[in-house]
Amino acid sequence: MSVETVRQFFAEHAPDITIEELETSTATVQLAAEAHGVVPGQIAKTLAFKVGETPLLIVASGNARIDNRKIRDTFGGKAKMLDAETVMELTSHPVGGVCPFGLATDLPVYCDESLHIYDEVLPAAGSSNSAVRLSPKHLAELVNAEWVDVCKLPESVG
């Protein structure tokens, strides 16, 4: 059902975007990059956290790692990753398919600066074998995301 909520979201907000559904799992950054023929950094992973009592989503480059100090400085508290059951309740998407589109709950969404490196990124689309292709700017606009700098990138980007 999760892909359906994403499909409905795009039908209303961006009918030009097509959901790519593959036969193979794209549940991890590496699997997704290989399946879609892109570098791991182009996979836009959506991470669900709680800071204090506030749940939020951070969309970041697939090869970026969360920097706990930057999170604390940006959000004013320690971030705790949400468990799979809570993620499913809040987003309607299973882990491996979590995205900022077609959410069950109105959650604040943040896009990390690490996405700006790429002209095109591929966030999941509600399942472990689906994704969409769009620019980081369009992604942020569609979900009313605020840009933040809460990640660190590896030495070699790609």
Side-chain angles (χ1 to χ4, degrees):
M1 190 63 188
S2 186
V3 175
E4 282 310 309
T5 63
V6 175
R7 203 177 310 281
Q8 289 169 2
F9 175 88
F10 284 115
E12 289 176 34
H13 302 283
D16 57 312
I17 294 178
T18 304
I19 295 176
E20 296 178 20
E21 293 184 85
L22 305 176
E23 296 296 316
T24 180
S25 172
T26 57
T28 68
V29 168
Q30 195 59 46
L31 288 172
E34 289 170 10
H36 289 286
V38 297
V39 297
Q42 285 181 270
I43 302 303
K45 60 186 175 185
T46 303
L47 305 168
F49 291 97
K50 186 179 254 190
V51 177
E53 292 304 308
T54 307
L56 56 91
L57 298 179
I58 297 173
V59 185
S61 173
N63 61 352
R65 296 187 58 126
I66 293 293
D67 182 317
N68 290 324
R69 195 177 98 235
K70 286 182 175 184
I71 288 242
R72 236 184 349 268
D73 292 348
T74 301
F75 297 110
K78 185 177 179 180
K80 181 180 179 207
M81 201 142 204
L82 297 177
D83 63 74
E85 187 178 320
T86 305
V87 170
M88 185 71 174
E89 284 175 24
L90 291 174
T91 66
S92 80
H93 309 316
V95 170
V98 178
C99 63
F101 317 112
L103 300 172
T105 311
D106 187 20
L107 297 170
V109 178
Y110 299 89
C111 285
D112 185 72
E113 294 290 336
S114 59
L115 295 171
H116 281 307
I117 296 168
Y118 305 99
D119 293 332
E120 179 181 73
V121 294
L122 287 83
S127 72
S128 63
N129 67 330
S130 64
V132 293
R133 293 175 184 262
L134 69 172
S135 72
K137 181 177 185 264
H138 196 190
L139 165 62
E141 288 169 354
L142 282 171
V143 297
N144 296 314
E146 183 180 322
W147 287 98
V148 293
D149 179 9
V150 294
C151 290
K152 52 188 167 194
L153 288 167
E155 295 289 320
S156 61
V157 176

